[in-house]
Every structure is written in C-alpha cells, then in structure tokens.
Amino acid sequence: MIINASGGGAELNFKVVGGTAQPTTPQENTIWVNTSTKINKWTFSATAPSAPAEGDVWIRTGTASTVEFEALKKNSISVCPVAAQQYVSGAWVDKTAKSYIDGGWRDWILYIYKDGTLSQISGFTMTGGSMTNSSGVLTFTSTSSTTEYMLARSTQKIDFTGFKTLSVNFLTGSKVFRASSLTGSGYAGFGITTATPSVNTSGYPRVTNYAAWKIFAHTENNNAQPTGTLTLDVSAVNSEGYLCFLGDPYDGESSSWKAVLKMNLIKLE
Amino acid sequence: MRTIYLDSEYKCHVNSDGTMRAVETDAFDGQCDTLIEGYRFVPDGEVWIRSDGAVFEGIMMAPWKDYNVLDEAQREYEQEQLADMRQALEEMGVYTNG
C-alpha cells in the first residue's frame, strides 16, 4: 500500500514528524522520524519511491509490525511500518523511527520471541528434539534417537520483507556436544529457509533451501556454545521464510550426542 | 566443495579479478553462478560491518542481492539442468515422461 502526501489531512489518523528530539506531547499514532533533515514528503510503500527528492522519507511497509496502525479515521486501512529511510545527498539513509501508540512510544522492532511470548508464529516443528517455553526461556533439546540432527522449524513462515537484521540472544547452557563425555564439538546454526528444509550431515551449511544462514559452530574441536546475541543479515531477504535452528554432532555420531539451545529473545529490526 | 572468491566486502565471485581471496566451501554446492554472486560469505573468525554499522560475525551466508531474484535464477538453472538430463537420457534410449 502506498500513501503519498506532503502534509497532514483531516481524514488521516496519524502524523509523521521529524526532528532530533522526541516529541513531548504527541498524539496517538504519531510517527517520529529521528532526523536533522527537513522532511518534505513521506511515502508508505513496500518498495522505494521512484524519483525521490532531498528530504523525502520512505516508510517501508510489511505484512507485520509491532506498530501497526489504522491510517484513516473513518475507513479501515491498516498499515504495518517496518523501517524508515530518508533521501539525503542522493541516497537513502536509514533513520530511527518510533510510534506513539496507546500512550507510549514504541520501537519499530518485530519480536518473534520475547518475555516468554511467541509472535508471528505459534511454535516450532521439531525433528529429533523437543521445545519448551518456560520462565521466559525458549529451549530446544535433542532427543535420544537415530536422527543425527535436531531441527526446529517455525510452524509458520515469517515475512522478512523490509527487515535488516535477525537477532537471537542465546543463554548460558546452550551447547551442542558430541561423544559420550558430552564435551567437545558439534555443529549449530540458525537462519531462514524458503521451503521446508532437508538436512544432510555432511558439508555446510547442512541444511537445504536456505536464504540466509548463520553458523556458530562447525569444526570438530570447536565447542558449539553460543552465548549472547548472534546476528544474521536479512536485508536482502524480501520474502517469506521459515525460521530454523539446527544442531548436529558434526561427524554423524548418532548415539551419544546432545544439543541444547536456550534463548530468551528473537527479533527482527 | 568449490572455490569461490571474496572481495573486500565479502561478496562472492566465481572468478577472481586478481585482487580477491580464494575460499573453499560447500556452502553453495548445487547453486548456480548467478545465485552465488548475489551472496556474501563471511568466514569463521572474521567480521563484516554493514554500512549502517551493524556487525556480523562469520560464518555467515547472506544475500546482498534481492533473494527473490536469486531464487528465480536458481529455479531457471535447475530447470535447465533437468532438461539437459532428460535429453541425455533420451539420447541413450531411456524415455522419460513429464
């Protein structure tokens, strides 16, 4: 959907304002674009406007957003802002934007998992493992089976259009082991697949149909113990896809390996 | 496993221009050259910093060209491969349907 205007309007249910200081008395559905460059015109669109002029703001829209709003006062047109850019010195430049909704300012971040709640998806389809969601921690744990890998695939596809970075915050205790001593190495990764992935236990990245993939362990002597926030560039993944997590013992040891992946935050921005 | 070449921004190339670094990987096995050259590959232990300052550690494979365009190229490549295989089979006297 495209809205192209050079000012406000009696029928519009929102306002776009610029400036480097967050407005102190905003109205509901105010969108603040943090910029020192005067905004001449704003456009809501899934694709960049053609023939932009200096100062034009492009608010990229998607199919999901934590700051979705109704654009009109009377008729229903829902808009899902995802990111904001401004045309400065001949190029589109990323700008931070926030929305004033329900009496508070909100960041333009799409949380897939936060504070124990999954959004955009109802869960994960597990192969070779199980999922728990408890006390704000999402955990994937491998099961004792002949499957030589653990794969978690989101139950629904997520639209990554307009987002730039997928971030996952892993917690201490995440590990992929091999061998009966439960030490040593394993392989692990996460990313986006555009179709239901197949897994092979040789080579990298060991999953098919990937659009973007992050590997955080891959060698025999490298403990797969991710901690902290790991990121994946998704800025060119303008499509829907499954969010997947993979763990396997690297060299095909099926009987004595284990994977535990614990995370408390998954987000798109 | 194949050799790809990385430029200074970790963009993949199937041929080197003399300034690129050779990397052996099976991350792109079965993928056409058009798709490969639309990706970044950040090796283990290395870091790529995006133009907005975001930091990405290897190992990472991520498209820098619109993935939809790359996927279309890959589908066309796979169809061509399939057509070639069918022709070869027919020349051998093995008839295929579809």
Side-chain angles (χ1 to χ4, degrees):
Chain A
M1 187 192 70
I2 298 176
I3 297 177
N4 196 352
S6 59
E11 298 305 313
L12 296 179
N13 193 38
F14 67 97
K15 181 185 293 187
V16 178
V17 299
T20 55
Q22 183 172 287
T24 54
T25 55
Q27 295 178 334
E28 183 74 2
N29 293 330
T30 294
I31 293 173
W32 167 50
V33 180
N34 190 343
T35 179
S36 59
T37 302
K38 182 178 183 294
I39 298 176
N40 297 316
K41 183 175 74 174
W42 44 260
T43 302
F44 289 75
S45 174
T47 56
S50 58
E54 179 76 6
D56 286 358
V57 163
W58 166 37
I59 295 178
R60 194 196 304 251
T61 56
T63 60
S65 168
T66 55
V67 291
E68 180 177 354
F69 67 95
E70 290 292 331
L72 302 179
K73 290 180 180 176
K74 291 183 179 178
N75 297 313
S76 178
I77 297 180
S78 293
V79 179
C80 296
V82 171
Q85 292 185 309
Q86 189 172 28
Y87 202 69
V88 178
S89 300
W92 289 108
V93 177
D94 291 333
K95 295 292 180 180
T96 303
K98 293 188 176 185
S99 293
Y100 192 77
I101 296 176
D102 294 335
W105 287 103
R106 295 190 187 176
D107 292 322
W108 287 15
I109 298 172
L110 187 66
Y111 292 102
I112 298 171
Y113 181 76
K114 182 184 180 186
D115 298 331
T117 299
L118 282 166
S119 300
Q120 311 307 313
I121 58 176
S122 57
F124 287 83
T125 299
M126 301 298 300
T127 302
S130 60
M131 181 193 87
T132 60
N133 182 7
S134 176
S135 301
V137 179
L138 185 65
T139 304
F140 302 128
T141 306
S142 62
T143 54
S144 298
S145 70
T146 58
T147 303
E148 294 183 358
Y149 61 85
M150 175 187 75
L151 176 67
R153 174 182 64 79
S154 59
T155 46
Q156 294 87 9
K157 286 186 175 181
I158 299 168
D159 188 355
F160 293 91
T161 305
F163 295 103
K164 300 182 69 176
T165 305
L166 172 63
S167 301
V168 181
N169 190 58
F170 289 94
L171 301 175
T172 301
S174 297
K175 192 169 183 178
V176 181
F177 320 69
R178 65 181 286 268
S180 56
S181 61
L182 296 185
T183 59
S185 67
Y187 164 92
F190 72 89
I192 303 165
T193 64
T194 52
T196 300
S198 300
V199 177
N200 59 74
T201 53
S202 63
Y204 299 110
R206 305 163 92 81
V207 66
T208 63
N209 299 316
Y210 74 88
W213 199 258
K214 165 67 181 167
I215 298 173
F216 47 86
H218 66 100
T219 61
E220 190 165 341
N221 296 315
N222 180 7
N223 265 326
Q225 298 189 66
T227 54
T229 299
L230 300 185
T231 55
L232 176 64
D233 176 33
V234 300
S235 58
V237 182
N238 297 315
S239 64
E240 292 184 333
Y242 294 108
L243 173 61
C244 299
F245 294 82
L246 177 69
D248 78 60
Y250 177 75
D251 63 356
E253 280 196 30
S254 62
S255 61
S256 57
W257 77 280
K258 188 175 180 63
V260 178
L261 298 178
K262 305 171 69 171
M263 59 209 80
N264 65 352
L265 184 68
I266 306 172
K267 66 179 181 180
L268 282 168
E269 56 190 324
Chain B
M1 185 77 74
R2 69 177 289 176
T3 300
I4 60 172
Y5 302 91
L6 305 182
D7 64 23
S8 59
E9 293 187 1
Y10 295 104
K11 291 180 177 178
C12 301
H13 301 263
V14 296
N15 296 295
S16 175
D17 66 357
T19 68
M20 300 173 185
R21 175 171 42 142
V23 171
E24 281 213 354
T25 178
D26 40 25
F28 300 106
D29 283 0
Q31 312 286 34
C32 66
D33 290 354
T34 300
L35 181 144
I36 293 172
E37 296 204 324
Y39 266 77
R40 272 194 177 83
F41 179 83
V42 182
D44 188 31
E46 300 189 32
V47 173
W48 169 61
I49 301 176
R50 198 167 57 194
S51 59
D52 61 3
V55 176
F56 299 92
E57 299 179 348
I59 302 175
M60 183 181 80
M61 293 83 72
W64 62 270
K65 285 186 178 178
D66 187 336
Y67 177 75
N68 294 311
V69 175
L70 303 180
D71 187 54
E72 180 64 28
Q74 180 67 20
R75 300 295 155 232
E76 290 178 6
Y77 169 76
E78 290 172 356
Q79 288 299 318
E80 291 170 2
Q81 295 286 94
L82 187 60
D84 288 347
M85 288 167 52
R86 282 183 172 147
Q87 184 176 2
L89 287 170
E90 288 175 3
E91 289 174 359
M92 291 164 54
V94 178
Y95 294 95
T96 63
N97 62 0

